[in-house]
Amino acid sequence: MLTVSTLARACGLSRSTVLYYESIGVLKPAGRTGGNCRRYGDREMARLRQICVYRKAGVSLANIRNIFDRPNSDASSILKRRLTELDAEIEQLRDHQRAILRILNRHSFRRSDVLNKEKWVSIMKASGFTEADVDRWHKEFEKMAPEEHQKFLEFLHIPADELAAIREWSRTGKK
């Protein structure tokens, strides 16, 4: 026979979680010792492991109790309902992602007004970059992250023909 603490450790739970499951009727001890301590056996261990599986799937304790209390209950219908709930939650999270991206895009336009090609070039020169250093920087950027290089040049409001020329000589080395 197992104690509450031993049962809890075996399932990776806290003692108070096991006692809570007992208090709401999801788990019952096999009996009590002469000293009135709870004792659990293999059947309770199997039930607690099943509870853990359902909880990991996000099934509520009320639904777990329904599954156990009604031997003829259809656990698959509860799991299918949970799957539908998850689909809705995922869609809501995707909506949140899209909203955040829209906000970030709006803010990036504001930021792009702050930095343009002339400011960027003056920052590079003030930092000690020679024209050869800037060329090398473009070549590495183009080689390592061509799409980001394109976006950065667009961010600086560089005209399309000049942007294409920068990317071309960054790839080929010919100005």
Side-chain angles (χ1 to χ4, degrees):
M1 286 290 153
L2 303 168
T3 65
V4 175
S5 297
T6 307
L7 182 69
R9 268 194 306 274
C11 292
L13 301 171
S14 67
R15 182 179 185 281
S16 59
T17 298
V18 173
L19 293 174
Y20 177 70
Y21 289 169
E22 185 182 321
S23 74
I24 63 170
V26 177
L27 182 68
K28 294 175 179 89
R32 293 197 175 254
T33 65
N36 204 25
C37 293
R38 295 168 179 84
R39 54 188 179 95
Y40 301 90
D42 292 338
R43 196 172 80 212
E44 292 77 27
M45 174 70 81
R47 185 170 175 129
L48 185 56
R49 285 195 171 129
Q50 190 61 46
I51 292 168
C52 291
V53 167
Y54 286 131
R55 291 298 294 148
K56 189 169 182 125
V59 177
S60 71
L61 289 170
N63 281 330
I64 294 171
R65 188 172 43 243
N66 287 338
I67 291 169
F68 289 142
D69 287 350
R70 298 184 189 126
N72 297 328
S73 73
D74 185 12
S76 68
S77 67
I78 291 172
L79 292 172
K80 287 176 186 174
R81 189 176 23 193
R82 178 65 186 138
L83 198 54
T84 301
E85 291 168 358
L86 285 172
D87 286 340
E89 290 172 27
I90 289 168
E91 189 52 40
Q92 185 178 26
L93 289 172
R94 286 193 178 121
D95 287 343
H96 292 177
Q97 281 180 324
R98 286 187 283 273
I100 290 169
L101 287 170
R102 281 192 299 274
I103 292 167
L104 288 173
N105 283 335
R106 271 188 255 141
H107 287 260
S108 69
F109 288 126
R110 284 189 211 135
R111 282 194 308 258
S112 68
D113 294 337
V114 173
L115 186 64
N116 57 29
K117 176 188 171 189
E118 290 73 26
K119 285 183 185 177
W120 183 80
V121 169
S122 67
I123 291 168
M124 297 299 276
K125 284 182 180 177
S127 299
F129 278 66
T130 64
E131 192 168 325
D133 293 330
V134 172
D135 289 351
R136 207 170 27 259
W137 182 89
H138 277 289
K139 287 177 185 177
E140 286 301 315
F141 202 165
E142 183 67 29
K143 184 171 75 176
M144 296 175 81
E147 290 176 24
E148 288 79 6
H149 188 215
Q150 170 84 24
K151 289 177 185 174
F152 179 75
L153 297 173
E154 290 170 353
F155 174 82
L156 295 176
H157 300 292
I158 296 176
D161 57 335
E162 186 180 354
L163 189 151
I166 292 170
R167 292 198 65 210
E168 179 62 27
W169 64 253
S170 294
R171 282 191 293 274
T172 64
K174 298 177 186 174
K175 279 194 177 186

